[in-house]
């Protein structure tokens, strides 16, 4: 099978491409405009073709889709805090980009999978969201992801396009850009920098190891029913402050580094996904949080070559803007 993976040089995409090339023998074309989190070196150990371009550019998409049997769109402006500071890129990538990819997939008649997020359902105090829960997004990030999901469904409903949607919970693991909670805490702890916890630290996330989500997306691509959405949730839920304490234990840092900072505006309290539907297709998460976070900390400890250029580049300015203090 030949796959077009759009926006494919981040952590999840790397894992997805590796699994498909290595385990399925697929040909993969990666289309990516290589913004701050998409890095060519993430894919240096995986055979693939690469097209440098944006998903909202019809010419780049037409070039990349040539000969593909399926499109997997990671539609990937991923960071909620950036969507609050600068929503325009989120509208462009998720709305216009998804539209261009859908149109191109429709013209070629190829299967289309949209990678989405549990955040489209909003926050839930108790219980878990199913695929038929209403969409109630809270941030520019999740609202543009929800809009893209609706557009995908409309292409199935109106044009009969063979579409699938995969909604994942919070990913973590190697190669994740250190704007996200776990890699940020790991690198700050390793450097003796403050650990900025938003609000009271009791927001709960449903943690999913990146390799499990990559396999889940592949599983849905292979076995999913056209027109359907599938939740792919992690096996464990955990309040942020416990995640931070676990990172402190694993890095040997001190609790004194914890700093409670101003909460994220509109911060969702808790996410929780029910994943029975994808389990019925035969997918199961394999990595529990305790093991995954240990593997993640070990990876960051051993791979300074990967994060050193990040901590000395654009990220440094982002960090100062976001947290009002410099990194050490
Ligand atoms: O739920 C799936 C989503 O998970 C994905 O769709 C998003 O692409 C991904 O960014 C992630 O969103 P979150 O906002 O949940 O992830 P983040 O790592 O930014 O934050 C996790 C929690 O930690 C959240 O409650 C905010 C909190 N946090 C985050 C950062 C960066 C802090 O307390 N301090 C921080 O410095």
């Amino acid at each position: 099978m030949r796959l077009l993976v759009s926006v494919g040089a981040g952590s999840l995409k790397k894992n997805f491409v590796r699994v498909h090339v290595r385990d399925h023998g697929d040909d993969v074309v990666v289309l990516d405009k290589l913004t701050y989190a998409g890095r060519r070196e993430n894919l240096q150990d995986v055979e693939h073709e690469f097209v440098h371009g944006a998903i909202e550019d019809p010419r780049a998409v037409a070039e990349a889709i040539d000969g593909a049997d399926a499109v997997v769109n990671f539609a990937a402006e991923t960071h909620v805090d950036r969507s609050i500071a600068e929503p325009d890129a989120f509208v462009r990538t998720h709305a216009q980009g998804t539209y261009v990819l859908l149109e191109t997939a429709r013209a070629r008649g190829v299967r289309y999978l949209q990678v989405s997020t549990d955040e489209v359902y909003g926050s839930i105090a108790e219980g878990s969201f199913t695929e038929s829960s209403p969409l109630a997004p809270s941030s520019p990030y999740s609202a543009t992801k929800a809009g893209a999901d609706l557009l995908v469904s409309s292409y199935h409903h109106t044009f009969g396009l063979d579409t699938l949607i995969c909604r994942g919970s919070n990913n973590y693991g190697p190669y994740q850009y250190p704007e996200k909670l776990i890699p940020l805490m790991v690198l700050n702890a390793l450097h003796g920098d403050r650990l900025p916890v938003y609000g009271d630290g009791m927001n709960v996330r449903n943690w999913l190891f990146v390799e499990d989500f990559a396999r889940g997306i592949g599983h849905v691509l292979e076995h999913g029913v056209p027109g359907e959405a599938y939740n792919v949730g992690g096996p464990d839920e955990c309040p942020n402050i416990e995640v931070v304490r676990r990172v402190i234990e694993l890095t040997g840092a001190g609790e004194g580094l914890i700093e409670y900072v101003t909460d994220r505006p509109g911060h969702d309290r808790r996410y929780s996904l029910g994943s029975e539907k994808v389990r019925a297709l035969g997918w199961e998460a394999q990595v529990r949080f305790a093991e995954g976070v240990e593997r993640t900390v070990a990876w960051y400890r051993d791979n300074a070559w990967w994060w050193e250029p990040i901590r000395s580049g654009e990220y440094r300015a982002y960090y100062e803007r976001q947290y009002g203090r410099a990194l050490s």
Side-chain angles (χ1 to χ4, degrees), residues 282-297:
W283 173 88
E284 197 68 57
Q286 289 174 358
V287 181
R288 298 297 301 267
F289 186 64
E291 178 198 335
V293 79
E294 227 177 296
R295 282 170 63 179
T296 304
V297 170

Side-chain angles (χ1 to χ4, degrees), residues 228-295:
E228 295 291 310
Y230 295 86
N231 291 344
V232 184
D236 297 292
E237 291 181 17
C238 194
N240 295 337
I241 190 66
E242 282 181 26
V243 173
V244 174
R245 292 214 168 98
R246 187 73 192 114
V247 168
I248 287 173
E249 270 170 37
L250 289 165
T251 52
E255 289 247 343
L257 289 181
I258 293 176
E259 180 180 43
Y260 290 92
V261 299
T262 308
D263 209 353
R264 172 187 281 171
H267 195 177
D268 284 334
R269 193 66 171 166
R270 174 173 174 260
Y271 299 137
S272 179
L273 279 184
S275 306
E276 286 69 24
K277 193 168 162 184
V278 71
R279 281 209 195 90
L281 291 183
W283 173 88
E284 197 68 57
Q286 289 174 358
V287 181
R288 298 297 301 267
F289 186 64
E291 178 198 335
V293 79
E294 227 177 296
R295 282 170 63 179

Side-chain angles (χ1 to χ4, degrees), residues 77-81 90 116-120 139 141-142 145 167-171 176-185 188 195-199 201-207 213 240-241 243-244 259 261-264 267-269 271 273 318-319 322-323:
E77 287 290 344
T78 68
H79 195 46
V80 176
D81 293 324
F90 290 74
S116 184
T117 168
D118 58 2
E119 300 201 16
V120 296
S139 67
Y141 164 70
S142 52
K145 289 295 277 188
R167 297 188 178 127
S169 60
N170 277 63
N171 271 224
Q176 191 173 36
Y177 199 78
E179 62 194 353
K180 302 283 199 269
L181 180 71
I182 291 182
L184 182 138
M185 293 298 164
N188 280 19
L195 308 177
V197 174
Y198 296 165
M202 291 307 291
N203 300 66
V204 171
R205 296 295 184 262
N206 185 186
W207 294 100
F213 192 29
N240 295 337
I241 190 66
V243 173
V244 174
E259 180 180 43
V261 299
T262 308
D263 209 353
R264 172 187 281 171
H267 195 177
D268 284 334
R269 193 66 171 166
Y271 299 137
L273 279 184
Y318 161 78
Y319 192 92
Q322 180 66 25
Y323 298 101

Side-chain angles (χ1 to χ4, degrees), residues 36 77-84 86-96 140-141 144-145:
Y36 70 97
E77 287 290 344
T78 68
H79 195 46
V80 176
D81 293 324
R82 289 195 194 242
S83 87
I84 294 167
E86 294 167 350
D88 56 333
F90 290 74
V91 176
R92 209 168 35 247
T93 303
H94 297 160
Q96 185 69 13
Y141 164 70
T144 51
K145 289 295 277 188

Side-chain angles (χ1 to χ4, degrees), residues 19 24 30 39 43 66 81 89 95 123 136 149 160 172 175 209 222 262 291 301:
V19 167
H24 298 248
V30 171
R39 301 172 72 209
L43 287 168
D66 203 29
D81 293 324
S123 190
D149 283 10
Y172 68 102
Y175 298 96
F209 195 60
E222 205 175 329
T262 308
E291 178 198 335
R301 207 195 275 285

Side-chain angles (χ1 to χ4, degrees), residues 1-325:
M1 172 137 97
R2 185 171 166 89
L3 294 176
L4 166 58
V5 172
S6 64
V7 196
S11 158
L12 171 62
K13 287 68 85 175
K14 176 200 172 61
N15 277 280
F16 177 83
V17 172
R18 193 171 50 188
V19 167
H20 277 265
V21 170
R22 191 192 56 195
D23 301 348
H24 298 248
D26 290 335
D27 287 336
V28 173
V29 184
V30 171
L31 170 66
D32 200 318
K33 68 177 164 191
L34 297 177
T35 54
Y36 70 97
R39 301 172 72 209
R40 283 293 276 135
E41 56 269 46
N42 286 356
L43 287 168
Q44 68 191 10
D45 56 343
V46 191
E47 201 175 311
H48 66 283
E49 287 172 40
F50 187 81
V51 175
H52 188 202
I55 61 170
E56 58 273 16
D57 173 1
R59 273 192 305 188
V61 173
E63 180 193 341
I65 206 172
D66 203 29
D69 303 295
V71 174
V72 180
N73 180 19
F74 285 88
E77 287 290 344
T78 68
H79 195 46
V80 176
D81 293 324
R82 289 195 194 242
S83 87
I84 294 167
E86 294 167 350
D88 56 333
F90 290 74
V91 176
R92 209 168 35 247
T93 303
H94 297 160
Q96 185 69 13
T98 299
Y99 158 72
V100 170
L101 274 170
L102 281 166
E103 270 300 307
T104 317
R106 175 161 88 100
R108 311 282 167 125
V110 299
R111 174 164 262 213
Y112 179 100
L113 186 149
Q114 179 84 354
V115 180
S116 184
T117 168
D118 58 2
E119 300 201 16
V120 296
Y121 300 117
S123 190
I124 188 165
E126 284 172 12
S128 300
F129 290 117
T130 70
E131 291 79 358
S132 48
S133 300
L135 304 191
S138 325
S139 67
Y141 164 70
S142 52
T144 51
K145 289 295 277 188
D149 283 10
L150 293 174
L151 196 60
V152 171
S153 299
S154 81
Y155 268 65
H156 177 73
H157 196 77
T158 308
F159 304 117
L161 185 66
D162 178 355
T163 63
L164 294 158
I165 298 173
C166 246
R167 297 188 178 127
S169 60
N170 277 63
N171 271 224
Y172 68 102
Y175 298 96
Q176 191 173 36
Y177 199 78
E179 62 194 353
K180 302 283 199 269
L181 180 71
I182 291 182
L184 182 138
M185 293 298 164
V186 173
L187 293 185
N188 280 19
L190 290 174
H191 289 83
D193 282 323
R194 298 237 163 243
L195 308 177
V197 174
Y198 296 165
D200 63 2
M202 291 307 291
N203 300 66
V204 171
R205 296 295 184 262
N206 185 186
W207 294 100
L208 174 63
F209 195 60
V210 65
E211 291 173 11
D212 278 335
F213 192 29
R215 276 191 312 100
I217 296 165
H219 205 81
V220 169
L221 182 65
E222 205 175 329
H223 304 286
V225 175
E228 295 291 310
Y230 295 86
N231 291 344
V232 184
D236 297 292
E237 291 181 17
C238 194
N240 295 337
I241 190 66
E242 282 181 26
V243 173
V244 174
R245 292 214 168 98
R246 187 73 192 114
V247 168
I248 287 173
E249 270 170 37
L250 289 165
T251 52
E255 289 247 343
L257 289 181
I258 293 176
E259 180 180 43
Y260 290 92
V261 299
T262 308
D263 209 353
R264 172 187 281 171
H267 195 177
D268 284 334
R269 193 66 171 166
R270 174 173 174 260
Y271 299 137
S272 179
L273 279 184
S275 306
E276 286 69 24
K277 193 168 162 184
V278 71
R279 281 209 195 90
L281 291 183
W283 173 88
E284 197 68 57
Q286 289 174 358
V287 181
R288 298 297 301 267
F289 186 64
E291 178 198 335
V293 79
E294 227 177 296
R295 282 170 63 179
T296 304
V297 170
W299 187 86
Y300 281 92
R301 207 195 275 285
D302 295 344
N303 287 280
W305 69 271
W306 184 84
W307 50 256
E308 261 166 1
I310 295 174
R311 274 184 61 106
S312 55
E314 182 270 356
Y315 176 69
R316 187 162 277 275
Y318 161 78
Y319 192 92
E320 282 181 33
R321 269 198 315 276
Q322 180 66 25
Y323 298 101
R325 68 163 72 236

